[in-house]
Each structure stands twice: as structure tokens, then as C-alpha cells.
Amino acid sequence: MPYARRIIADNIARIRERMDATAHAAGRSPHEVQLIAVTKYVNAATAAVLVECGCTTLAESRPQQLWAKVAAPELAGARWHFVGKLQRNKVRRTLPLVELVHSVDSVRLLAEVDAQAAELGLRARVLIEINCSGEQAKQGFAADEARRLIATADAYRHVEIAGLMTMAALHGGRQTARLNFAALRELRDELAVSAPPAVRLDVLSMGMSGDFEEAIAEGATMVRIGSALFTGVSCDSA
Ligand SMILES: *Cc1c(COP(=O)(O)O)cnc(C)c1O
């Protein structure tokens, strides 16, 4: 583990340097961009190295793996986000464990989050997932669906819709990714004007290991980075 620790610490340092440089080049403050470390490729012991290195906000994309890692003693110092497909029957157990759900991809899911948050006596913080690439296989709302949803956001009284999230096209390369990210920012800017006063949409969650610089250049406030954190570390245990 000491060996893996050095590699991971180096990876984090290099990613943060690139994040900061990109933010500066875009005329933004590096403090506006939060690194969300996606731990789905590694076990709890390896994920704990991230926390030791100062990367304290972690994310999982599968509920069962989230639940297991939240319960792991070595990860007691972590804060958690959820970034993947959330089935409605997993909402109740997941909500109390996370600060933010990035991936609300349907009205039915949002309604379930609202209902469970009410029962649990909490306010769930969520992002609305947008399909910016137009790919059929992608989760998320089309722009028009998002407009309709945000117009009715007041109805979800136990949910704070904090912003938008997207995944870039799978095979389009960085150029297409940047267009997808620009589209998300433009949609956010438009919705922020038309949204009910209580809805602020400050968060833009976009960019992963292969395209986080494009995302930061286009206004990302959270980048979700997994594989680049573990380059050079053997990840045999998830
Ligand atoms: C896995 C995953 C990431 C991280 O992807 P990398 O390319 O490994 O950085 C980000 N967001 C979501 C939703 C993911 O499932």
C-alpha cells in the first residue's frame, strides 16, 4: 500500500495541477471547481488513500457499492455523492448516506426522492441529469423535458435541485465533449432565469478523466474523476 499511496498522491497532484491551470486559463478561480473522486474501480482500502491525500468527497455509481463503502471503517472520514443509475427502490437507503445525487434522470425518480426525503425528514440535494449528446443509450432529460421539469420544481418541496449534470458523448472525442459541456452550461443559464426563485442551479457536474479540462473550460463546478486517480495502480478489487 505505501507504493500505491505514492502513485495515487502523485496522480492527485497532477490532476489538481491540470484542473488549476485550466481554470486559470479560462479566467476562473480554481476554488470554483471541486474534484469528486469516483471510487468504483477500487476497494475501500485503496479508496481510503484518496481521503488520506485530501480527496475527501468520494462517489460511487452503484447503490450496493456505495452502501458497502460507506460502512467500511477505513472510509469513515469520507463524504459521499452518488453519480450512477438510481433505481427507485434504492432511494430510501441511499439518500441518508449522500450529500448529493448527481443523476436524477426521470420525473418518477425525482418524485420518489421527494417522497422518501419527506418520510426521512431531510432535504435531498440533487442534480438533474441531462442528455446533451442526444445518444439513445444515455440517461437523462432532453432539454425540453428539463424545461418542463424545472418549471414545476416548486412541487418537490423536500428536494433542492442544485444544478445539472451530464456525460459527454461516448465516442465523440474531446471536441464533441466540449460542445456537449457548452450545451449544458447554456441550458443551465437559460433555466436559471426561468426557474422558480428558490431554484438556483449553481452546480454544473461535468467532465471525467478523459475530458475534465474541456468541462472546466466550459464552466464545470464539479468534475467526476475515476480512472485517472488510479493510473499505475493495479485495481483488481472493486
Ligand atoms: C465512472 C464514472 C465517472 C468517472 O469516470 P472516469 O472516466 O473513470 O474518470 C464519472 N461519472 C460517472 C457517472 C461514472 O459512472
Side-chain angles (χ1 to χ4, degrees):
M1 186 52 71
Y3 173 65
R5 191 183 192 288
R6 267 242 326 268
I7 297 175
I8 291 172
D10 275 0
N11 288 345
I12 294 171
R14 226 166 299 127
I15 291 166
R16 286 205 193 274
E17 271 170 30
R18 288 169 60 194
M19 288 175 60
D20 291 1
T22 310
H24 280 305
R28 307 182 58 203
S29 161
H31 301 293
E32 293 172 28
V33 190
Q34 193 184 355
L35 170 58
I36 311 300
V38 180
T39 55
K40 66 187 176 198
Y41 309 109
V42 299
N43 61 23
T46 303
V49 176
L50 297 170
V51 180
E52 287 169 34
C53 294
C55 246
T56 52
T57 302
L58 309 184
E60 279 288 327
S61 61
R62 290 170 190 260
Q64 284 91 345
Q65 295 198 9
L66 172 82
W67 303 342
K69 284 206 178 72
V70 167
E74 55 273 63
L75 288 170
R79 313 155 75 102
W80 287 98
H81 289 190
F82 187 78
V83 296
K85 177 81 189 159
L86 185 57
Q87 298 83 5
R88 282 178 296 146
N89 64 358
K90 309 241 166 30
V91 167
R92 187 181 183 83
R93 184 160 171 195
T94 299
L95 280 190
L97 308 179
V98 297
E99 292 182 352
L100 183 66
V101 176
H102 290 232
S103 42
V104 170
D105 62 353
S106 73
V107 173
R108 273 159 41 119
L109 177 59
L110 184 63
E112 181 65 13
V113 168
D114 188 55
Q116 293 297 338
E119 282 197 23
L120 292 161
L122 55 82
R123 189 137 192 267
R125 199 156 185 263
V126 307
L127 307 179
I128 301 301
E129 182 168 355
I130 306 293
N131 181 346
C132 282
S133 66
E135 287 175 332
Q136 289 292 324
K138 279 257 155 58
Q139 322 281 351
F141 290 82
D144 260 346
E145 297 168 337
R147 288 185 185 99
R148 282 197 291 277
L149 175 74
I150 293 297
T152 65
D154 272 348
Y156 305 96
R157 294 179 41 230
H158 306 277
V159 175
E160 178 194 351
I161 300 176
L164 306 181
M165 176 272 221
T166 202
M167 313 254 285
L170 203 52
H171 302 297
R174 292 179 158 219
Q175 226 78 20
T176 306
R178 181 149 183 177
L179 293 175
N180 295 156
F181 298 148
L184 190 73
R185 172 176 41 78
E186 285 160 17
L187 180 63
R188 188 280 305 275
D189 292 350
E190 175 204 320
L191 294 178
V193 172
S194 64
V199 179
R200 296 184 37 101
L201 304 178
D202 289 332
V203 177
L204 282 180
S205 168
M206 54 190 194
M208 318 199 305
S209 292
D211 54 22
F212 67 86
E213 286 158 314
E214 283 74 14
I216 292 169
E218 292 296 343
T221 66
M222 291 182 186
V223 290
R224 311 177 307 271
I225 297 183
S227 46
L229 294 166
F230 308 108
T231 304
V233 180
S234 73
C235 297
D236 39 14
S237 35

